[in-house]
Amino acid sequence: MTVAILPMKPPTVGKTRLAGEFDPSFRSELAEAMFLDVLAALALSQLIDRTLVVTADQDCAKAATAHGAATVDDPGCDGHSSAASLGAREAALDGAERVLLVPGDCPALDPAEVDSLIGEADRVAGCLVVPDRHGTGTNALLICPPLAMAPSFGPGSHRRHLALAAGAGVRAESVAVPSLAFDVDTPEDLESLIEHLRDGHAAAPRTRSLLARTGRLPAHA
């Protein structure tokens, strides 16, 4: 059984690195739109058996339920790695054989690429590390079994996850997943996502709609 783990901060407190250029209302709407697009993409995957959203936000929990996902309360709100670990423990208790840790800010996520990644996991039988577009961070982590290693997201996490897996005696490989390259933390990240969507890639209907409504993406893109 494969369980997708999706940690999600309350939209009103996330995306602080966008604060220099975007007001709180837009940042909150963007965080929510991206989260909903990721949820929808995971629901379309053929190889994910269950999605588990780890959040302290009641609106996010309700949205998760509406998309057929389960939820775990994140009372400590101690960050992405802590929430991911909490979800992995819950999944392991429910009998998951592996977990796919995915972020809520990759709205271009392609369900077919998710399934391809999970299929690749059958060959590796360990850990798959999906780098961000810079090749330094981690935008997704597939771990088999779920508690084989502890996630440690943040700057430099791509190499760190490979090293942590090696230290735990877990086979690990780095795997590029194009649609998982477009996470949004900075204004530059957002521009890269906009260019990706403008070129006709990805569905991301909610994120597209928001960007078009606010004039950041042509309505016909």
Side-chain angles (χ1 to χ4, degrees):
M1 180 170 67
T2 302
V3 176
I5 308 296
L6 176 53
M8 183 60 190
K9 291 181 182 178
T12 54
V13 301
K15 299 303 157 199
T16 55
R17 282 190 277 173
L18 295 175
E21 296 192 23
F22 303 103
D23 63 38
S25 177
F26 174 77
R27 298 199 309 270
S28 178
E29 286 188 82
L30 178 64
E32 181 180 7
M34 293 192 296
F35 168 65
L36 292 174
D37 281 334
V38 172
L39 265 181
L42 292 174
L44 292 173
S45 166
Q46 300 298 306
L47 297 182
I48 289 176
D49 298 291
R50 185 183 182 213
T51 295
L52 189 60
V53 174
V54 183
T55 187
D57 187 82
Q58 291 302 308
D59 289 335
C60 288
K62 289 177 182 177
T65 301
H67 282 80
T71 61
V72 173
D73 185 34
D74 182 22
C77 294
D78 292 326
H80 190 83
S81 296
S82 176
S85 294
L86 179 61
R89 291 194 296 271
E90 182 72 17
L93 287 173
D94 286 347
E97 296 169 297
R98 58 193 170 198
V99 290
L100 175 63
L101 312 180
V102 293
D105 62 355
C106 284
L109 184 62
D110 183 341
E113 290 184 0
V114 171
D115 289 342
S116 178
L117 179 66
I118 294 172
E120 186 73 4
D122 290 331
R123 178 183 65 79
V124 175
C127 175
L128 294 178
V129 184
V130 179
D132 61 13
R133 66 188 179 91
H134 305 290
T136 56
T138 304
N139 277 359
L141 192 62
L142 197 149
I143 308 174
C144 178
L147 303 182
M149 59 174 284
S152 179
F153 293 95
S157 62
H158 180 221
R159 285 188 178 182
R160 186 164 61 251
H161 280 133
L162 293 173
L164 286 169
V170 177
R171 183 180 177 186
E173 290 186 12
S174 177
V175 179
V177 178
S179 66
L180 275 168
F182 295 94
D183 62 319
V184 177
D185 287 316
T186 67
E188 292 76 18
D189 292 337
L190 182 58
E191 285 304 314
S192 292
L193 174 65
I194 289 171
E195 286 302 315
H196 184 69
L197 297 178
R198 185 179 286 122
D199 289 342
H201 299 289
R206 294 165 182 83
T207 304
R208 280 182 180 275
S209 177
L210 172 63
L211 293 173
R213 178 166 56 81
T214 56
R216 294 173 175 86
L217 189 69
H220 62 275

